[in-house]
Amino acid sequence: MDWFVKKCREYGMKVTPQRTLVFEILSMLHNHPTVAAVAREVALRSPNVSFDTVNRTLQTFVDMGILHKIPATGNGLRFDTNPLPHHHVQCVRCGRIVDFESPELDSIPVPKAVSARYKVLSKMVVFETVCDECARSKQVR
Ligand SMILES: [Zn+2]
Ligand SMILES: [Zn+2]
């Protein structure tokens, strides 16, 4: 929490109760939640915080660099609270996303075509898979 307060100050942002609550919830959810999933948890604790506020707060955290957006197949945008460089294995059926680390993947050079035109902030590999559970249950959802 101290870390969060320090980050807000660095960014020149007020530490409001809503922002603190959203941050606390993010630190509890380690499953790459959607906006809706975060909003649901927020509503349980503080029903007067609107979906819009949650959505804007998440966007602010992304701008601050303490939260990352990850593109996901199926149910849209997800958020990642793990600040360390890592990669993802995603199940295309249930949408579950698991983190993994790989020095091999981290060391893949950025292609010239990209680095010549863009300032690269991060790189991430996503493996699209079918997880064990989904493979066992033959039904397609
Ligand atoms: Zn699955
Ligand atoms: Zn992740």
Side-chain angles (χ1 to χ4, degrees):
M1 215 14 96
D2 288 352
W3 177 82
F4 174 65
V5 172
K6 196 173 136 248
K7 277 283 176 190
C8 286
R9 296 234 169 91
E10 271 174 30
Y11 196 74
M13 199 179 76
K14 273 209 205 117
V15 184
T16 62
Q18 287 98 321
R19 285 175 182 151
T20 308
L21 176 64
V22 172
F23 183 78
E24 274 171 6
I25 284 165
L26 283 172
S27 358
M28 287 164 26
L29 301 172
H30 296 293
N31 54 353
H32 306 87
T34 57
V35 180
V38 178
R40 200 160 51 229
E41 289 296 321
V42 170
L44 288 178
R45 305 241 221 128
S46 183
N48 53 344
V49 179
S50 71
F51 182 89
D52 260 10
T53 303
V54 173
N55 198 15
R56 257 185 289 121
T57 305
L58 291 171
Q59 187 54 54
T60 307
F61 290 171
V62 171
D63 294 342
M64 286 167 66
I66 62 172
L67 183 68
H68 297 272
K69 279 182 186 176
I70 45 176
T73 38
N75 36 13
L77 192 65
R78 308 269 291 254
F79 290 94
D80 198 337
T81 51
N82 181 350
L84 302 170
H86 64 278
H87 306 278
H88 292 117
V89 179
Q90 182 181 9
C91 174
V92 297
R93 291 207 191 143
C94 66
R96 188 185 336 210
I97 300 177
V98 176
D99 288 348
F100 75 97
E101 282 163 36
S102 163
E104 293 97 313
L105 290 178
D106 292 344
S107 64
I108 295 173
V110 177
K112 274 249 161 50
V114 175
S115 63
R117 294 186 56 191
Y118 304 97
K119 181 178 181 305
V120 176
L121 302 175
S122 68
K123 63 178 154 63
M124 192 190 74
V125 174
V126 179
F127 289 98
E128 294 192 327
T129 64
V130 175
C131 74
D132 279 354
E133 267 173 55
C134 289
R136 270 199 299 271
S137 71
K138 289 247 162 64
Q139 307 164 314
V140 177
R141 289 181 212 200

